[in-house]
Amino acid sequence: MKRKEFLKGMGLAGLSVTSLSLLTSCSKDNEDSLYIDDESSTDTTSESDTDTTSESDTGSTSSEDCEVTPSETEGPFPTHDPEDLERVDIVGDRTGIDLDMNITIRNVNDSCNALEGAIVDVWHCDKDGNYSEYGGSGMQSTNYTNTSFLRGRQVSNSSGTVEFATIFPGWYNGRSKHIHVHIYDADGNSLLVTQIAFPEGENSAVVRVNAASEYGYTKGMNGYTYHSQDNVFSDGVDEELASVGGSVSEGFTLTHDIYVNA
């Protein structure tokens, strides 16, 4: 995976919601040209890393049941003014391992077909477990109230998909790695607030990233909160579990379908 190719292919950074909505009328052939095949990337850094480049940690979400994705808490760090953050590249000044997110929104009222025109907000913590727009309190001592890194908004295309260029999130006490998502219809009415979970287990992306101290992920797995003890995911993550593929040196790609009642 090449981050510059991803952003060049998207070519959407800085467009307004109105402009992004207009893009959904393009033909499917044109949309397909925007996507990068993650499996085509190769990794020459190390043999162990190369062995997992084309493999994915796969979530068990299936469209067979066509049920709404579970809702989760929006707090404690929701985006203050998401309408001001319409962008593809949400990294800001943060450093870490590349993560390209491909999220597809599906409508359970339309046989779980792709939902075009949905407004999708995402946000997550940096590699150290801190959120932008907050801080200086007991919940997060580091003050990032004047920044908006790792937050963004897009409108789903005719394939129901939004894509974001970001970094692999870190973790903090009480939570496993996760990404927050808030989905609205085209009129701005809230459809769903949910979270995306990462597959765990031996040699998973979570384990490999947490061990990548050379990229600034210094916490390791000591003290990490797994899904079973997570205060949000402990009741089950099957429907919120993403597929994650890639490598530490080349970056990762996350793909996930979210089902809404539109």
Side-chain angles (χ1 to χ4, degrees):
M1 174 196 322
K2 301 297 183 182
R3 174 52 58 86
K4 290 183 179 179
E5 291 177 0
F6 177 85
L7 292 173
K8 182 179 179 181
M10 288 301 296
L12 303 179
L15 293 182
S16 66
V17 165
T18 301
S19 299
L20 286 168
S21 297
L22 289 175
L23 290 178
T24 62
S25 63
C26 295
S27 68
K28 188 176 187 302
D29 289 341
N30 288 336
E31 289 164 2
D32 289 344
S33 68
L34 299 178
Y35 304 117
I36 301 299
D37 183 3
D38 180 55
E39 293 185 357
S40 65
S41 65
T42 57
D43 180 4
T44 58
T45 301
S46 68
E47 182 178 353
S48 60
D49 211 15
T50 301
D51 289 342
T52 57
T53 300
S54 60
E55 297 177 359
S56 295
D57 304 328
T58 304
S60 57
T61 300
S62 171
S63 62
E64 292 178 358
D65 295 331
C66 197
E67 296 179 350
V68 174
T69 298
S71 62
E72 303 292 3
T73 178
E74 186 178 40
F77 304 112
T79 303
H80 294 315
D81 298 302
E83 65 274 9
D84 296 332
L85 301 176
E86 299 156 13
R87 55 195 183 185
V88 173
D89 187 343
I90 66 173
V91 176
D93 64 352
R94 299 295 91 183
T95 59
I97 296 169
D98 288 348
L99 178 68
D100 293 331
M101 295 194 296
N102 306 311
I103 302 171
T104 299
I105 312 303
R106 298 189 178 277
N107 184 5
V108 300
N109 283 335
D110 184 26
S111 301
C112 280
N113 287 318
L115 179 62
E116 180 179 4
I119 300 170
V120 182
D121 296 336
V122 300
W123 67 98
H124 64 83
C125 69
D126 65 10
K127 64 179 175 15
D128 300 312
N130 294 311
Y131 286 86
S132 62
E133 300 190 352
Y134 293 85
S137 66
M139 187 165 289
Q140 179 179 298
S141 59
T142 307
N143 193 335
Y144 288 120
T145 54
N146 295 320
T147 61
S148 59
F149 55 76
L150 306 179
R151 300 176 183 270
R153 164 175 286 192
Q154 285 189 54
V155 174
S156 61
N157 61 22
S158 61
S159 297
T161 301
V162 294
E163 299 188 3
F164 294 94
T166 186
I167 61 169
F168 212 102
W171 59 272
Y172 49 95
N173 291 337
R175 292 303 318 273
S176 59
K177 288 183 186 286
H178 64 281
I179 293 170
H180 295 266
V181 186
H182 193 161
I183 303 166
Y184 307 81
D185 66 17
D187 295 323
N189 300 306
S190 179
L191 296 177
L192 180 70
V193 179
T194 189
Q195 297 183 26
I196 299 174
F198 288 73
E200 298 171 341
E202 185 178 357
N203 205 39
S204 65
V206 166
V207 170
R208 285 181 281 153
V209 169
N210 282 348
S213 58
E214 69 274 24
Y215 290 86
Y217 295 82
T218 58
K219 293 183 177 180
M221 295 296 290
N222 185 25
Y224 179 78
T225 301
Y226 289 89
H227 298 324
S228 58
Q229 284 80 43
D230 184 276
N231 57 26
V232 172
F233 295 142
S234 59
D235 58 349
V237 296
D238 286 352
E239 297 175 20
E240 296 161 289
L241 203 60
S243 294
V244 181
S247 65
V248 168
S249 61
E250 291 292 329
F252 292 88
T253 295
L254 177 152
T255 58
H256 185 55
D257 287 2
I258 298 177
Y259 299 83
V260 300
N261 188 356

